Amino acid sequence: AQSVTQPDIHITVSEGASLELRCNYSYGATPYLFWYVQSPGQGLQLLLKYFSGDTLVQGIKGFEAEFKRSQSSFNLRKPSVHWSDAAEYFCASTDSWGKFQFGAGTQVVVTP
Amino acid sequence: GAVVSQHPSWVICKSGTSVKIECRSLDFQATTMFWYRQFPKQSLMLMATSNEGSKATYEQGVEKDKFLINHASLTLSTLTVTSAHPEDSSFYICSATEAGATDTQYFGPGTRLTVL
C-alpha cells in the first residue's frame, strides 16, 4: 500500500529566507506525486506535480520540487518566502487506480 | 481552467436535519469526483469516489446511508449528510478529475458544516 510521510508538522521561517518541506513516499512503482497548498478555511490549490521525466519540477508561486527515487523523496522548495506563503502544505501521491494518499501536512509560519 | 466550486461554503444546521452540499466542475467535464473530510489541523480523509452515472464507492468506515452521494451529471456531484449530528461537523472538500486526464485532482474550496 502506498503512503506519504511529511516529517515536519510545523516549520517557522523568516520572510525572505529559503524554505524546504520534506515529503517521503512509499510505493512499489514510481508514483505520481503532488504538492498542494491550503490557506485557512480554503480548499487545496495545486502547486506542482511530477509524473515522469525531468526530476526537478517547477510550479506556481516560485515553488519547485525534486523527485529523488533513491531517497523516495519529493521535497518542495522555495528560494525566498513571502508572508503570503504562510499556509498548510500537503504532499500527495496517487496509485495506479487514481486514489490519492495525502501526507499529514506541514504548517508553515512566516515571521517578519 | 479546471475550476471546482462548492455550495454552500458554510452551513449551520440543527441536529437531526439533513444537509446537501453541491460540487460542480465549472469549465470541464468531471468523470470522477471525490469527497473528503478534514478535521481541524488534520489531513484530508477520503470518504468516497463517485463516477458519473454509477453508485459511489465508499471508503472503509464511511456510512453510505449517512453520507449519500449522487453524481448525476458530468459537472455535478452532491453529498447529503442525513440526520446530521454534532460529530458530523467538519470541513468537507470535493475534488474532480477531468475526462482523459485522471491523474490530477482539482479541489473545491470546501464546505464548513456545523451541526448544533
Side-chain angles (χ1 to χ4, degrees):
Chain A
Q2 61 169 339
S3 67
V4 176
T5 303
Q6 292 180 246
D8 304 305
I9 296 174
H10 186 274
I11 285 181
T12 299
V13 60
S14 299
E15 190 169 15
S18 63
L19 174 68
E20 181 167 13
L21 304 182
R22 296 184 290 165
C23 173
N24 295 98
Y25 68 90
S26 172
Y27 186 56
T30 299
Y32 293 163
L33 296 163
F34 305 80
W35 275 101
Y36 286 89
V37 60
Q38 183 181 34
S39 297
Q42 301 292 317
L44 275 67
Q45 181 181 24
L46 178 65
L47 288 176
L48 47 79
K49 59 187 177 183
Y50 172 78
F51 290 171
S52 65
D54 193 345
T55 56
L56 185 62
V57 181
Q58 301 297 320
I60 63 172
K61 302 184 178 186
F63 285 93
E64 67 177 25
E66 186 171 12
F67 171 67
K68 292 186 177 180
R69 185 189 302 276
S70 61
Q71 298 178 19
S72 297
S73 69
F74 188 57
N75 294 349
L76 181 72
R77 297 192 294 255
K78 184 168 184 176
S80 177
V81 299
H82 186 262
W83 64 266
S84 59
D85 293 322
E88 185 88 18
Y89 292 79
F90 292 97
C91 181
S93 71
T94 59
D95 59 16
S96 56
W97 300 101
K99 179 184 284 190
F100 263 53
Q101 182 72 43
F102 283 91
T106 299
Q107 180 73 46
V108 173
V109 174
V110 180
T111 60
Chain B
V3 177
V4 176
S5 71
Q6 281 184 242
H7 178 79
S9 56
W10 60 270
V11 58
I12 301 173
C13 69
K14 292 182 178 180
S15 184
T17 61
S18 295
V19 175
K20 179 184 284 187
I21 302 170
E22 292 185 349
C23 176
R24 294 182 184 272
S25 57
L26 298 185
D27 51 2
F28 66 99
Q29 293 188 326
T31 50
T32 304
M33 287 184 167
F34 303 84
W35 286 96
Y36 294 85
R37 185 173 181 176
Q38 185 180 30
F39 292 102
K41 299 189 183 300
Q42 294 189 29
S43 188
L44 282 71
M45 181 191 76
L46 179 65
M47 299 174 66
T49 302
S50 74
N51 292 295
E52 184 265 338
S54 61
K55 289 184 178 181
T57 302
Y58 290 81
E59 295 299 300
Q60 192 172 10
V62 178
E63 299 176 60
K64 60 181 65 177
D65 293 330
K66 180 166 189 60
F67 299 100
L68 301 178
I69 292 172
N70 182 277
H71 192 167
S73 77
L74 285 172
T75 59
L76 173 65
S77 175
T78 60
L79 167 68
T80 301
V81 183
T82 62
S83 187
H85 291 283
E87 57 265 31
D88 299 325
S89 299
S90 190
F91 195 54
Y92 293 88
I93 302 176
C94 74
S95 70
T97 57
E98 191 172 2
T102 58
D103 300 316
T104 302
Q105 292 185 24
Y106 298 97
F107 287 81
T111 297
R112 172 75 59 193
L113 170 62
T114 300
V115 184
L116 303 177

